[in-house]
Structures are given as structure tokens and as C-alpha cells.
Amino acid sequence: MDMGEFDYTDLLPLGADETEYRLITSEGVRKVEAAGRTFLEVDPEALRLLTETAVHDISHFLRASHLAQLRKIIEDPESSGNDRFVALDLLKNASISAGGVLPMCQDTGTAIVMGKRGRHVLTDGLDAEHISRGVYDAYTKLNLRYSQMAPLTMWEEKNTGDNLPAQIELYAEDPHGHPDEYKLLFMAKGGGSANKSFLYQETKAVLNEKRMLAFLEEKIRSLGTAACPPYHLAVVVGGTSAEYALKTAKYASARYLDSIPTEGSASGHGFRDLDMEARVFELTQKLGIGAQFGGKYFCHDVRVIRLPRHGASCPVAIAVSCSADRQALAKITPEGVFLEKLETDPARYLPETTDEHLSDDVVQVDLNRPMPEILAELTKYPVKTRLSLTGPLVVARDIAHAKIAELLDNGGEMPQYLKDHAVYYAGPAKTPEGYASGSFGPTTAGRMDSYVGRFQAAGGSMVMLAKGNRSKQVTEACQQHGGFYLGSIGGPAARLAQDCIKKVEVLEYPELGMEAVWKIEVVDFPAFIVVDDKGDDFFTDKTGPVLSIGRR
């Protein structure tokens, strides 16, 4: 090969920043002159305040573009009734969350901060510490949930009680060519969407249109709905390393890389492939999974980024941003401290239409009845039927299930509360003063799959409520024991807390905090039949290929 001339390029060269910002403060920043240069000096308080404000905003507000996409689903005549119902519920949730009391999702996430500090920006060098203090202040003051587990030994963990540590990555780089600016990206990444980040180590064989689209259909289908679609989907092909491909996918799902070039060059920079974005988006609309319970809108949009690669490697990374689309850009300049302007009045995206105009018929289910009567009612309806639940639910998730399994292992009886009531897989955020509950949306059902057969054989977990698809073993257990799995809408945790959950009390294991067994009273709690007692699973109807893919 001929030796090329030196030609430097950023791997991901960003275009102009078109973000609309709002001023947080003009204090804590100043220009200083030294060595014939002008520097920007940034006080620790400016970093702390910016971080605390950013965590507040991304916990309660969404981008206007995201809200407009939800409204588009409602207005699209090709949307299914379930698509429109989910979109409406998410808009209602956003309107409640914007009140600043209940966060939009009960999983208030890991705080992730990425910053680029210009060479003429001066700090005390403890930037990560000051940013962490801002994270601490936001999570301890607001009605957010602590999700970070500190490893004490290889096997023992303890919740840190303040949601630290945060993931903080800082770079020495002049953002957009401005040496006196500090640019940051703030994200809150919940477990559901973080768990849907995937890396596949492929080869050059995947680098043709037919093979790539077939590969992506298989992998995108496997995402399921546990991470609360509609998604912002990102696909990255190539990468100088596996970890760089995954990181690029995360940034792309936040639309952070929207301004990179749309064509490649011999210099090797990454680029967006707009044609592939359109092709993959079309694919997602034909899957039939829709906005959680059947339809067209599995995704709001798609980003496809092609990166340079080592000739012997071809990583492909996939990531999503979920219905809790939590990120915001920020900048510190000589003029002050600025944060991306998010939508504080999401109610303006709500349509005039009512629930009845947006969805199929809904079946009222009285959970106050004995379990045999509840099962007899549910067996009348097919999968994908929309339900409205009223009455008591028991709440239990990972650790509680493990404790009950241990009880059975030791010869104990299935707790009566799991025999008498439907079980909701969830864990609440903090309860604000004057509220019955904090944000209290469903968690991913699949984590409890291994318990279902055993619990149902012992008379428990006959009706389960959570988000996402289940494994074949759950379908088989429900068919064998006469049970049901109901899907709850993933995403509208604030609306559920305000409108549907009327009472919350601890039943068992109070020492587990949000992982305790709870009993809650709900009114008009939305759900869908996903797995029934006949061996039917809504998601098994969505597993076959939908596209006949070839060259155009």
C-alpha cells in the first residue's frame, strides 16, 4: 500500500451547536489575563450548581422534539390503538413530572456526565468532585431513587444511599474550537435502557446491505419492550475498539452526534448514514411490536453511525434511549453557566381527544375478588386485551423473590399475600409529602422469570404485572398452572403515582427499603394481557422476519 500523507481528523467531528440554552447563573465565572492569553476561571460552585440543576431538569423535563414525536404517534392514522394509548399516557406522565415533584420514571438512573474543557479554562482541578457533589445534592434533595450498589466484597453489596458514584468522564479538548468554553452532556441512565446496550463482534461479512439489514432485524427484535419504547435507537458499525463503539452508540441515542458528517472520507472519521437510518426505521415499523403492545411505533427514530475499524475487527453496537429520554447539554462560557432549555409545559402537546378515542375497548378488572374469580375473568380475553385494574396489588421484585425462594427451599409455605393478590414487579422512588406514593412504574419482568414456575406450583404469582417480554418458561408455567402475565406501560411512573396508586404500605422485609414487599391500592391501573393461561404470548407473534430484504 502507498503511504498516505498526514491528515488529522477527529473520530467524531461535531458541527455547529444549534442548542437553545437558558442562563443558570452569571456568577462563578470570570476572565483572567496571564501569559498574554485570556482565560476563563470557573469556581467549584458553578460546576456544582450546574450539575444539581441539570439532574433536576432531566428528571422532570423532556426535549420538545421528543414530546412532538409522542404527539405525532397520536395523530398518525396508521398508529394502532395501543400505540396511541401509550403515547397519550406518556404525554400525561410528562405533564405531571413537569410539576417538579414526581420524577418521570421511578428508576431515576445512574448519573452520567461527559465534559470537554477548553485549554483556556481554569479550575481547581477537582472538577469530578464538584460535579459529584452536585449529583449528591440533587438526589438527596429531590424525590429521586438511590440505585447505586457499593461492592463490599465480591458477593456482598450495600446501597450507597445517595446515588453516588456517578460516571464522570472529562476531556481536555477545545469544544467547537473554543478554548475558553467548557461543554458538558448530562444523562440519567436507568437500568432498563442501560441493559439494552449490546456489542456484537462481527466480521467484514456483515458489511453488505442485505446481510446487515437481516442481522439488524434479528438484533433489534431481541431488544423487546422491557426498556420502555418507543425508543431512540442507535446502531454503530465499526469502531477503533469495542468500548468506543458502545460509547458512540450511547451518545448517538442521546442525539449528541446528530451534527457529525453524513459522508465518509479517506481520513477515517465517523459519519451518519442517513439512508441506512431510513431503512432501519422502516424495519422497526414493520416489526409489529409497536409502542409496547402492538403497532407501528417501536422507535421514534434511528441513528446509524459508521466508524473506522481495524481490518480484523468489526464491532456492531446497539443502544437505546427510552421513554424517559433524560439528557441535556450544558456550557460554561465567559458569559455564564448555561443549560439546555427543555420543555417545561408538555401539556401543550396533549390532544383534545380522550382515552376512549385513542384505544380499543378496555376491560375492568376488580382485584378485590378472590384469585380464582380474577383468573376466571382474565381467561375470557385474548392476549393484547387492554385492562383497567382496581384493587390491591402486592409489590415484590428481585431481592424479595430471592427471599421467598429461600423460604420455600427451607420447607416454608408460600406467603398468603402472593396467593391472594396479583404481584407487581416494581420499586418506588421517594414519596413526596402529601402523596400516597412516589413515582412507581414497573420494572423489567424478565429478571423474575426463573421464579415463576416454582411460585405458581406453590399457589403464588398467579397474576403478574410488569413491563417487557417474558421467556418461554413463563409461558409454559402459566399454561400449566393457569396463570397470567400482564404488561404495564413502561415509562409513566409519575402518572401512576398521582392518578392510580391510592395507598402504599410495607408488608414484609422493611429493611430492604424500596426492595421490600409492599401492598398498594390502585384505581384504573392500565395493563394489557401479554401471556395467558392457554400458552399464548403476545410477543411470540412478533418473532418471525417481516422484511424480504434484497438490493434495491
Side-chain angles (χ1 to χ4, degrees):
M1 295 179 62
D2 293 335
M3 181 176 65
E5 295 184 3
F6 177 75
D7 181 19
Y8 174 77
T9 179
D10 288 339
L11 275 176
L12 294 167
L14 296 176
D17 183 6
E18 305 294 340
T19 307
E20 183 179 0
Y21 292 96
R22 66 183 183 92
L23 177 67
I24 302 301
T25 182
S26 56
E27 298 181 357
V29 298
R30 68 196 64 83
K31 291 182 179 181
V32 295
E33 302 290 335
R37 301 183 188 181
T38 301
F39 293 87
L40 172 66
E41 188 173 31
V42 179
D43 291 345
E45 172 59 15
L47 286 169
R48 188 211 66 79
L49 176 64
L50 173 60
T51 302
E52 181 182 9
T53 307
V55 172
H56 169 276
D57 281 17
I58 63 177
S59 298
H60 290 282
F61 307 129
L62 292 160
R63 287 171 168 159
S65 58
H66 176 87
L67 295 164
Q69 288 173 311
L70 288 171
R71 177 62 183 263
K72 177 184 175 183
I73 294 173
I74 296 172
E75 294 177 339
D76 185 350
E78 294 182 355
S79 297
S80 69
N82 287 342
D83 274 342
R84 292 193 290 272
F85 177 72
V86 170
L88 178 63
D89 223 36
L90 291 171
L91 282 174
K92 290 178 180 178
N93 187 70
S95 300
I96 293 168
S97 176
V101 178
L102 294 166
M104 68 183 73
C105 180
Q106 81 287 344
D107 183 347
T108 48
T110 296
I112 299 173
V113 185
M114 185 272 288
K116 297 179 179 179
R117 191 175 79 187
R119 67 186 186 278
H120 289 173
V121 176
L122 303 177
T123 71
D124 66 358
L126 301 175
D127 300 24
E129 181 177 336
H130 306 315
I131 290 169
S132 291
R133 180 69 202 206
V135 171
Y136 172 91
D137 289 343
Y139 275 87
T140 54
K141 293 176 184 177
L142 300 172
N143 298 308
L144 308 183
R145 196 173 86 185
Y146 309 142
S147 299
Q148 305 309 307
M149 305 298 291
L152 305 180
T153 69
M154 180 63 76
W155 321 120
E156 297 174 293
E157 297 178 314
K158 183 180 186 297
N159 194 300
T160 62
D162 54 18
N163 216 56
L164 291 177
Q167 178 181 319
I168 301 171
E169 300 178 4
L170 303 176
Y171 301 90
E173 177 182 329
D174 289 356
H176 292 98
H178 294 288
D180 60 347
E181 286 193 1
Y182 204 149
K183 301 290 285 288
L184 301 105
L185 169 66
F186 292 91
M187 303 178 71
K189 199 72 173 171
S193 61
N195 292 345
K196 296 302 179 181
S197 300
F198 294 102
L199 174 71
Y200 305 97
Q201 294 286 21
E202 298 300 310
T203 69
K204 181 175 170 54
V206 80
L207 294 181
N208 66 79
E209 184 180 32
K210 181 178 180 180
R211 175 72 186 97
M212 179 60 74
L213 285 171
F215 170 84
L216 289 177
E217 179 180 342
E218 175 190 350
K219 303 307 180 185
I220 291 170
R221 191 187 297 281
S222 73
L223 291 173
T225 61
C228 308
Y231 298 131
H232 299 280
L233 173 66
V235 177
V236 174
V237 178
T240 48
S241 65
E243 61 270 25
Y244 194 81
L246 280 168
K247 183 180 294 188
T248 301
K250 177 178 287 185
Y251 292 157
S253 72
R255 279 83 72 213
Y256 178 74
L257 302 176
D258 276 8
S259 64
I260 68 171
T262 56
E263 294 181 346
S265 73
S267 63
H269 62 74
F271 66 92
R272 285 180 62 187
D273 188 323
L274 301 184
D275 179 65
M276 275 297 289
E277 289 181 1
R279 297 293 306 280
V280 176
F281 182 59
E282 178 186 15
L283 184 158
T284 67
Q285 292 192 314
K286 292 182 177 180
L287 293 177
I289 298 173
Q292 304 191 28
F293 300 104
K296 175 181 175 183
Y297 282 97
F298 188 56
C299 295
H300 284 303
D301 49 38
V302 175
R303 299 293 182 268
V304 177
I305 293 180
R306 182 69 159 88
L307 292 178
R309 68 182 185 93
H310 185 286
S313 300
C314 187
V316 178
I318 294 177
V320 299
S321 183
C322 66
S323 296
D325 186 41
R326 295 171 293 194
Q327 57 264 326
L329 297 171
K331 63 180 181 179
I332 303 175
T333 74
E335 288 70 42
V337 179
F338 297 85
L339 183 63
E340 181 177 354
K341 186 177 181 181
L342 302 179
E343 179 58 72
T344 59
D345 183 24
R348 68 190 182 93
Y349 292 90
L350 283 167
E352 297 284 337
T353 46
T354 65
D355 291 9
E356 288 72 24
H357 293 132
L358 291 171
S359 59
D360 300 323
D361 292 337
V362 59
V363 175
Q364 303 292 328
V365 179
D366 182 3
L367 298 175
N368 290 290
R369 291 182 294 173
M371 180 55 66
E373 293 185 18
I374 296 172
L375 297 174
E377 177 69 16
L378 292 176
T379 196
K380 299 175 184 177
Y381 304 101
V383 295
K384 207 168 72 170
T385 298
R386 182 182 156 208
L387 309 173
S388 179
L389 310 178
T390 297
L393 288 168
V394 167
V395 179
R397 44 181 276 162
D398 306 57
I399 297 179
H401 274 69
K403 283 187 170 291
I404 294 168
E406 184 179 359
L407 176 69
L408 297 178
D409 286 341
N410 293 328
E413 295 290 326
M414 173 64 63
Q416 193 64 37
Y417 53 73
L418 275 186
K419 295 181 179 180
D420 293 342
H421 302 294
V423 58
Y424 180 36
Y425 303 157
K430 294 180 200 169
T431 300
E433 186 176 351
Y435 284 72
S437 168
S439 292
F440 212 154
T443 197
T444 303
R447 299 203 305 271
M448 268 58 74
D449 282 6
S450 62
Y451 300 104
V452 174
R454 188 171 181 205
F455 281 24
Q456 288 189 347
S461 297
M462 297 305 298
V463 177
M464 301 160 287
L465 177 65
K467 68 176 181 178
N469 48 304
R470 307 298 295 264
S471 64
K472 185 179 180 181
Q473 69 187 112
V474 173
T475 304
E476 292 174 345
C478 287
Q479 184 176 19
Q480 179 181 354
H481 301 292
F484 289 83
Y485 166 55
L486 311 181
S488 176
I489 300 172
R495 194 191 80 76
L496 294 176
Q498 175 177 287
D499 297 341
C500 301
I501 301 174
K502 302 304 179 183
K503 183 179 179 181
V504 177
E505 60 180 312
V506 176
L507 276 183
E508 196 168 11
Y509 311 123
E511 70 276 9
L512 299 181
M514 70 94 174
E515 291 268 9
V517 177
W518 306 78
K519 184 177 181 181
I520 65 176
E521 294 285 338
V522 301
V523 175
D524 293 330
F525 193 106
F528 296 79
I529 298 177
V530 177
V531 177
D532 66 15
D533 58 348
K534 306 169 190 68
D536 299 318
D537 179 352
F538 160 69
F539 289 103
T540 60
D541 296 333
K542 310 300 176 189
T543 56
V546 297
L547 299 182
S548 179
I549 299 170
R551 300 199 65 82
R552 290 171 296 167

